[in-house]
Amino acid sequence: MSETPVLEVEDLCKALGGKTILSDVSFSVRRGEMKVLIGPSGGGKSTLLQCLNFLHIPDSGVIRLEGQAVDPRARKALYGYRQQVGMIFQDYNLFDHLNALDNVALALRKVKGLPRGDAEARARAELARVGLSDKEKLYPAELSGGQKQRVSIARALAMDPKVMLLDEPTAALDPELIGEVLTVIRGLARDGMTMIMATHQMGFVRSMADEILFMQEGRVIEQGTPEALLDVEAGSRTLDFCTHLAEFEAGP
Ligand SMILES: Nc1ncnc2c1ncn2[C@@H]1O[C@H](COP(=O)(O)OP(=O)(O)O)[C@@H](O)[C@H]1O
Ligand SMILES: [Mg+2]
């Protein structure tokens, strides 16, 4: 018998402002899998990730965490679900008035109810995991973009998520800071974290993705391993998109 997927998404649909944004999106994510979302801007990647965390409530469709369907109207269940699904945004979403340690410790105290000392000890361990042990007293304004994103990852890890959703976590970073964040994410993947990540960092995608979902106009157009979709023989839409992406990034 095959193992129950960590996350299953079935026929997810979402309209915003009277416009269909997601149409019948279905896929499932195995434990320890790195699923990568690729596709043109406006294709629905962020909306999908936000539906998976119920920041947007899907119009229809089912989301199951470890086989359990989530009912967004059941507030307590939704609250429990959100604790198990970590979310990393492009722009970090840190509290500017809290230092790195408190940014990580806050939810441990408020959500998990840990005493301050325990919360801080756990927060220190997570900051160490992302290589920021010496930065715990610094405020977001004193950190680089790469460091801020690593604090945000530490904060998500502290909640012991079953799956992490990452929405273009390096898109807002200067090129020289991208590597340090991708290195941390690689480490999480090697440690067995289950992740769904929107990214166009193709070196990372080729080496780390177990499967790519290529999204366009709110639909999953192609789905497969990097080998299958990015091989020059594949003639896939994914490859075509990524080739143009490379030209765009290389400049005229
Ligand atoms: N709150 C909203 N109201 C109306 N349309 C939205 C809203 N948020 C996103 N959209 C539209 O949804 C589509 C998909 O956007 P998005 O999920 O951000 O795509 P991606 O992350 O792939 O660039 C776009 O056409 C965008 O304009
Ligand atoms: Mg987006």
Side-chain angles (χ1 to χ4, degrees):
M1 212 176 84
S2 61
E3 200 191 354
T4 308
V6 175
L7 203 70
E8 284 173 284
V9 178
E10 208 176 287
D11 296 332
L12 204 71
C13 296
K14 179 68 186 172
L16 287 170
K19 194 176 140 214
T20 299
I21 309 295
L22 298 175
S23 304
D24 294 318
V25 173
S26 300
F27 62 93
S28 68
V29 187
R30 285 177 286 109
R31 190 169 312 285
E33 188 178 3
M34 164 70 80
K35 194 83 99 185
V36 167
L37 307 178
I38 292 183
S41 178
K45 303 179 296 295
S46 295
T47 306
L48 173 60
L49 290 171
Q50 287 172 38
C51 280
L52 297 184
N53 199 24
F54 293 94
L55 291 170
H56 284 310
I57 306 296
D59 297 331
S60 60
V62 183
I63 297 172
R64 288 190 201 88
L65 183 67
E66 294 182 332
Q68 190 85 36
V70 187
D71 178 358
R73 290 162 303 185
R75 292 187 57 160
K76 210 167 160 201
L78 183 59
Y79 190 66
Y81 172 87
R82 285 209 179 107
Q83 283 184 44
Q84 301 176 70
V85 178
M87 182 96 188
I88 304 293
F89 300 91
Q90 215 177 90
D91 54 2
Y92 332 120
N93 271 22
L94 297 177
F95 290 109
D96 289 333
H97 66 289
L98 296 179
N99 66 28
L101 186 71
D102 290 336
N103 260 289
V104 180
L106 184 71
L108 288 166
R109 291 171 55 207
K110 301 287 179 200
V111 179
K112 296 253 186 211
L114 293 189
R116 179 185 288 271
D118 294 355
E120 290 185 351
R122 176 68 194 268
R124 280 199 181 92
E126 295 305 342
L127 285 173
R129 192 167 168 193
V130 301
L132 291 176
S133 287
D134 54 339
K135 304 286 189 248
E136 66 174 53
K137 295 283 184 242
L138 299 187
Y139 287 80
E142 302 168 304
L143 297 168
S144 72
Q147 290 166 343
K148 280 189 273 205
Q149 192 59 292
R150 287 189 281 151
V151 173
S152 143
I153 292 170
R155 177 178 60 181
L157 289 172
M159 302 305 286
D160 292 318
K162 291 188 171 142
V163 53
M164 281 175 63
L165 313 174
L166 303 100
D167 192 0
E168 302 206 43
T170 63
L173 299 176
D174 290 334
E176 72 273 20
L177 303 178
I178 291 173
E180 67 190 58
V181 172
L182 293 182
T183 297
V184 166
I185 296 169
R186 269 197 186 92
L188 301 185
R190 296 216 170 99
D191 290 347
M193 179 62 72
T194 308
M195 289 183 268
I196 307 173
M197 174 167 163
T199 184
H200 290 142
Q201 292 294 320
M202 292 314 297
F204 178 90
V205 173
R206 282 179 186 277
S207 62
M208 296 305 294
D210 292 300
E211 196 167 65
I212 295 170
L213 299 183
F214 182 71
M215 287 190 73
Q216 193 166 0
E217 294 174 3
R219 293 178 184 277
V220 176
I221 304 284
E222 288 175 342
Q223 178 167 354
T225 62
E227 294 76 27
L229 292 186
L230 299 176
D231 186 280
V232 283
E233 303 287 311
S236 66
R237 302 273 284 276
T238 311
L239 179 65
D240 190 46
F241 172 78
C242 294
T243 307
H244 288 99
L245 192 72
E247 283 167 12
F248 173 72
E249 281 173 353

